[in-house]
Amino acid sequence: MSQRVLELETKVRTPECDVIERQYRDNLADLKLVVAKEYSTGIIGGDDTTMFHHMGPEKKRRSLSDKDARLCETLLRICVHIIWLALGRKSFNQIELELHRLFKSETFNCVEHAINSGYLAKMTREERRVLIGQCVRKDKKLHICSPLINEVFCDRRIDYRLLGLGVIEYPELPARLQYIYQAVAGPESDIRESGVSLGIVGHPRANFDTMLHPLVVPAAKSKSRVMSQSLQSNLDQSKISTKSSTTTGSTKKIYEDIILPHVEDEEPEFPPEFPHTPLPPRRCSETQRRRWQRRLRRLLRAGAPRTHSHVTK
């Protein structure tokens, strides 16, 4: 949208601009609704988040608001870094600001309060209409809802199947919902084959170094030259990330654009009864989980003071 606003400064605005920007707004709204579904599940302690609820699995304990706040902040920080890495280490500040705004609203965006960038006030009317959306509700500070929760209770046209993607097995899905399902709940090995783009997610691990910097190394080079070129690519990548947005467009893209299929003009038909067959849950790899546990134990042992080595677990 920033690039589009810059282009519109030297071009004449036409009715087709409203159509394109409305598509952008609908795409963002549907994606925010999918995130809001998972966020709402975590808030109420549903599905596999029950054990993390701040009032206990049965919701009968006294509310542990401090523990809940720490868990929320930790998850947000992890999400910011995952998105930043997946999108090729670009626009960290924008990702952090927007993610905190989505989960906390403009009023409680602590990152914006700390750096005072004023990025929302600097937006043009067209940018606000697309990025903020049409589901913003103004209320008193104590009763205000985050933009994600507003998406759940918005009165716009919503395909009801969006709220069941990855949970319920639907008999037939249009191309748009198939794309979103693959991005949300599909196996990572099928992402590239299905034409879905999630940044570097789904790309072969061998194409990246330990810090997930892209590697472009001919196979004929020796191991020492491979290591030196890996270090050089890391330095080049850090230099590229510090350049302005006008020069980043000339760098080679490491992932495809994220383009959602268009919305079907026909309204979705409501079946006589909704499907009851749940999709099988996709658990993490048991081998990978044990590797992370062993790594965590090694880090804890390495960081423990020697004087307290006799203390039991």
Side-chain angles (χ1 to χ4, degrees):
M1 279 305 300
S2 299
Q3 295 176 358
R4 184 171 181 79
V5 169
L6 290 176
E7 292 176 355
L8 289 176
E9 292 181 356
T10 58
K11 296 181 180 179
V12 177
R13 188 172 181 83
T14 64
E16 184 66 21
C17 295
D18 295 333
V19 176
I20 296 175
E21 290 167 3
R22 191 158 49 245
Q23 292 177 356
Y24 291 168
R25 184 192 64 189
D26 293 341
N27 289 340
L28 284 176
D30 286 346
L31 294 177
K32 285 187 285 189
L33 180 62
V34 174
V35 178
K37 177 196 69 171
E38 303 294 338
Y39 181 49
S40 303
T41 303
I43 289 178
I44 64 176
D47 198 27
D48 53 355
T49 63
T50 303
M51 59 184 298
F52 303 106
H53 196 266
H54 61 98
M55 294 183 67
E58 298 180 357
K59 305 179 182 65
K60 294 182 179 180
R61 302 176 185 170
R62 184 176 179 180
S63 176
L64 301 176
S65 57
D66 292 341
K67 178 182 178 181
D68 188 45
R70 288 195 299 270
L71 179 62
C72 180
E73 291 295 332
T74 303
L75 287 176
L76 280 180
R77 290 187 179 186
I78 293 174
C79 289
V80 169
H81 280 271
I82 289 176
I83 297 170
W84 178 63
L85 290 173
L87 298 183
R89 287 179 166 83
K90 293 185 297 185
S91 307
F92 181 87
N93 292 333
Q94 286 83 351
I95 292 172
E96 188 177 34
L97 283 169
E98 184 64 10
L99 204 64
H100 278 262
R101 185 193 69 82
L102 285 175
F103 281 90
K104 300 179 181 180
S105 76
E106 300 177 23
T107 306
F108 300 102
N109 190 342
C110 58
V111 178
E112 170 61 18
H113 293 167
I115 65 178
N116 195 20
S117 65
Y119 77 108
L120 288 172
K122 298 175 184 177
M123 285 185 182
T124 63
R125 182 170 56 90
E126 291 79 11
E127 282 183 295
R128 291 188 65 89
R129 187 166 59 236
V130 172
L131 300 178
I132 306 301
Q134 55 182 335
C135 299
V136 178
R137 294 190 298 175
K138 300 295 183 181
D139 206 338
K140 296 180 180 180
K141 288 186 178 181
L142 293 179
H143 300 133
I144 195 170
C145 292
S146 66
L148 285 182
I149 299 300
N150 286 336
E151 292 289 340
V152 177
F153 300 103
C154 190
D155 57 354
R156 69 180 181 88
R157 176 181 176 270
I158 297 175
D159 192 332
Y160 68 93
R161 292 169 291 188
L162 274 173
L163 297 174
L165 285 180
V167 180
I168 301 174
E169 183 177 358
Y170 292 107
E172 294 182 2
L173 288 176
R176 181 182 180 86
L177 294 186
Q178 288 179 359
Y179 187 104
I180 298 177
Y181 165 75
Q182 180 62 44
V184 173
E188 289 82 358
S189 57
D190 299 340
I191 288 180
R192 296 192 68 189
E193 287 73 9
S194 58
V196 176
S197 177
L198 285 176
I200 67 172
V201 179
H203 286 241
R205 182 65 179 83
N207 294 349
F208 304 90
D209 64 5
T210 307
M211 301 303 294
L212 296 181
H213 289 289
L215 293 176
V216 184
V217 181
K221 290 191 175 182
S222 62
K223 184 176 180 181
S224 60
R225 295 190 65 185
V226 168
M227 294 178 63
S228 62
Q229 184 162 350
S230 173
L231 294 174
Q232 185 62 36
S233 65
N234 293 348
L235 293 175
D236 294 341
Q237 186 69 21
S238 62
K239 293 177 182 178
I240 291 173
S241 61
T242 57
K243 293 182 180 180
S244 61
S245 59
T246 57
T247 59
T248 53
S250 60
T251 59
K252 184 178 180 181
K253 296 175 63 175
I254 59 176
Y255 60 89
E256 297 77 16
D257 291 332
I258 301 174
I259 301 177
L260 293 180
H262 292 294
V263 181
E264 294 184 350
D265 296 331
E266 298 180 359
E267 291 283 343
E269 296 183 1
F270 284 89
E273 60 178 7
F274 287 97
H276 299 287
T277 306
L279 286 172
R282 293 184 59 243
R283 303 297 182 187
C284 64
S285 171
E286 185 66 20
T287 303
Q288 186 64 41
R289 187 179 70 85
R290 291 179 179 177
R291 288 176 181 174
W292 281 110
Q293 287 180 339
R294 288 197 297 268
R295 178 177 174 81
L296 177 61
R297 284 195 291 267
R298 287 197 301 267
L299 292 174
L300 292 176
R301 285 198 298 267
R306 295 183 179 181
T307 54
H308 299 283
S309 58
H310 63 281
V311 179
T312 62
K313 296 181 181 179

